[in-house]
Amino acid sequence: MTARLLLLALLPLAACSAPADPPTAAEPPASVSPPASVTTPASAADTPEDRARAAGLIAAQAAQIASLRAPVALPSRMDGWRVDRVQIDDPAMDGTPMGVVGYAVRWSRLDGACVEILASNDGLGGPDFPTVSTRIRLMQMPGTPEAELFKAADDPEATSAQNWGQGTVISDYVASGDEADFLAIWLLSTGDDGCQPLELEEAAGILARLRPLRDGGSLARDPLDDPTLGRFAFDDGVTGDAVRVGNPEQTVRAYFEGAETPTEVETVRETADEVRVLATQSSLADDSVRDLRTLFVFEASEDGWTFVVAGTQTRCWPERGHQDWSAERCL
């Protein structure tokens, strides 16, 4: 795997045949100084979901990215930023045993700045990195690795600006995990989608705060991996806005009110910290899915119960796939 790993599906690259930067281009081959302090005290948050929320993700997004079966890492804090996009690529959610695994989280700020943390276990090398750069050490990542960030020229005629976009900041990748469980993680800040790229020093401070969601390689408790019912596939169609929580079981009954297919709703687990409600629909008017059941997970909060995440399992019609409950898709 090349050290210049790029996830092409997330980062379309310009052609590499642009003319060389003119001698007067505004990108001297120099290195800027790293931030004076990049060390963040250890957080009191212990779970992957807590760490994802500390990075600015809402509960459903935190549960989604924590369920990714890969060595995820996010910044330890993002003060003043708002998460506006979370993308998960996990073949296991679709029942595919092999394939590209990755994620992308983008933050935006009121001044128009945007920054992304991206990760993948697959990719291709891109054009040469820009020459203005800085190196930092990631004190919260295993082995405290170093990473280098690069900034493209503001001059639109410069090769780096034509390859990457004016002012784009991109890092080389930070390896997370081992050969059997590997992700390459990097930072990107561009002028795409009406955004403003960050200055190199600020981007370096964000990358320096990168930390794993799981310590010591231990797997997090996946809220969609139920100990009794098995694995559920993440359902991104159910959001906190759609599920207005009072009593969890009553909330789920209200959610399915008016559904074309009769729905059986039952609480399958209830503790002081968590409630799990299962909604089952049978004999669907679908040519592949015969039965569908949706697991709703709620957690205790100061205001009562908070919706966390929902997942689905299906049983297929004969000759259209599995006949037992499974997170895999029907044919």
Side-chain angles (χ1 to χ4, degrees), residues 181-206:
D181 186 24
F182 174 86
L183 279 185
I185 303 171
W186 68 98
L187 178 147
L188 173 69
S189 181
T190 75
D192 293 343
D193 300 328
C195 291
Q196 295 294 326
L198 291 177
E199 292 300 321
L200 195 61
E201 293 87 349
E202 186 175 11
I206 292 173

Side-chain angles (χ1 to χ4, degrees), residues 7-191:
L7 185 58
L8 297 185
L10 296 172
L11 180 62
L13 301 180
C16 300
S17 58
D21 292 349
T24 58
E27 53 168 346
S31 176
V32 300
S33 300
S37 176
V38 297
T39 304
T40 302
S43 170
D46 294 325
T47 70
E49 289 84 357
D50 288 335
R51 293 189 175 198
R53 292 180 195 178
L57 279 70
I58 62 174
Q61 294 169 333
Q64 181 187 11
I65 201 167
S67 70
L68 183 64
R69 301 184 178 188
V72 176
L74 292 173
S76 57
R77 68 179 190 277
M78 290 296 288
D79 300 332
W81 294 85
R82 177 179 67 87
V83 173
D84 59 12
R85 184 171 65 205
V86 177
Q87 178 178 328
I88 301 291
D89 295 313
D90 184 2
M93 293 182 180
D94 298 333
T96 306
M98 300 292 290
V100 175
V101 174
Y103 64 91
V105 180
R106 190 178 82 168
W107 293 263
S108 62
R109 200 167 54 190
L110 289 177
D111 64 359
C114 300
V115 64
E116 294 184 81
I117 294 294
L118 307 103
S120 178
N121 64 354
D122 185 46
L124 296 173
D128 289 340
F129 285 121
T131 54
V132 178
S133 65
T134 185
R135 293 194 68 83
I136 59 170
R137 185 170 293 278
L138 282 69
M139 302 301 295
Q140 299 179 82
M141 292 292 290
T144 62
E146 287 189 347
E148 191 165 10
L149 287 91
F150 308 85
K151 186 175 179 66
D154 292 325
D155 180 357
E157 299 300 319
T159 301
S160 61
Q162 294 184 31
N163 279 338
W164 297 99
Q166 292 175 248
T168 291
V169 175
I170 185 169
S171 73
D172 57 5
Y173 79 80
V174 178
S176 184
D178 52 31
E179 291 185 3
D181 186 24
F182 174 86
L183 279 185
I185 303 171
W186 68 98
L187 178 147
L188 173 69
S189 181
T190 75

